[in-house]
Amino acid sequence: YLIQRHQGIEVFNAMITLTIDQEGKVYQAGHQLIADLVSKVNTTQAQISAETALYKAAGHRNILINETPRLLQQKGNREFIFDKGHFSEEDVKVKLCYFPMEDGRLRLAWDLAIRDLKSSDFPNIRVDALDGSILDEDNWTHYSTSPKHAYRNLDRPRPQRRTDEAVETLPK
């Protein structure tokens, strides 16, 4: 897939997907691109830091950060990786993106995900890069509402396959 960008900053979920067949021809194509992108962008310069966005997102999720997050890596002024500290199961990547609003405008935002130590939730949050407000949030953790064992029958034995048979069925 190809991601739409403006001045090097990705547009959230704006991409072209291509499926290519074995002969190298495009089999299927689709896109979620933003038309007239330049006229919809609010700014190219963040007014709050990536660290401030991390604090705003953590506060929104009631995640307590007791110590200043240690910066592990920085790519220009658009992408940062902070140490997980005592608040996340893994290091936190914070990067600029443009977030499409319902009215068609694009807001510059910090995109980040915090794997909360006290919950199985893995929230992915967009924080407005101008005023620090929460623009959007989704949860990368999906909870099943299906009855227990809905996807396999435990009463029926599973077929056993030899390893060489399994390898022969892989696409070449």
Side-chain angles (χ1 to χ4, degrees), residues 29-59:
H31 76 86
Q32 297 174 315
L33 299 179
I34 307 292
D36 194 23
L37 180 70
V38 175
S39 70
K40 296 176 181 174
V41 168
N42 66 333
T43 185
T44 58
Q45 298 297 317
Q47 298 300 309
I48 68 165
S49 69
E51 183 179 327
T52 298
L54 175 56
Y55 278 111
K56 294 278 188 181

Side-chain angles (χ1 to χ4, degrees), residues 34 37 39-42 98-108 128:
I34 307 292
L37 180 70
S39 70
K40 296 176 181 174
V41 168
N42 66 333
Y98 288 107
F99 183 75
M101 304 299 288
E102 287 185 17
D103 65 3
R105 294 178 301 126
L106 295 171
R107 300 282 302 176
L108 186 63
D128 191 299

Side-chain angles (χ1 to χ4, degrees), residues 65-126:
I65 301 178
N66 289 327
E67 56 197 41
T68 302
R70 186 169 54 97
L71 181 62
L72 298 176
Q73 187 177 356
Q74 180 175 347
K75 294 180 182 178
N77 62 350
R78 297 180 178 164
E79 189 172 319
F80 304 81
I81 299 176
F82 292 95
D83 182 71
K84 62 185 178 181
H86 298 290
F87 64 93
S88 178
E89 287 186 28
E90 57 189 57
D91 296 338
V92 181
K93 181 178 180 180
V94 183
K95 70 177 187 172
L96 280 176
C97 73
Y98 288 107
F99 183 75
M101 304 299 288
E102 287 185 17
D103 65 3
R105 294 178 301 126
L106 295 171
R107 300 282 302 176
L108 186 63
W110 291 106
D111 183 33
L112 62 119
I114 303 172
R115 184 162 240 159
D116 189 352
L117 288 173
K118 297 177 182 172
S119 166
S120 58
D121 287 340
F122 195 177
N124 178 231
I125 302 168
R126 264 73 50 211

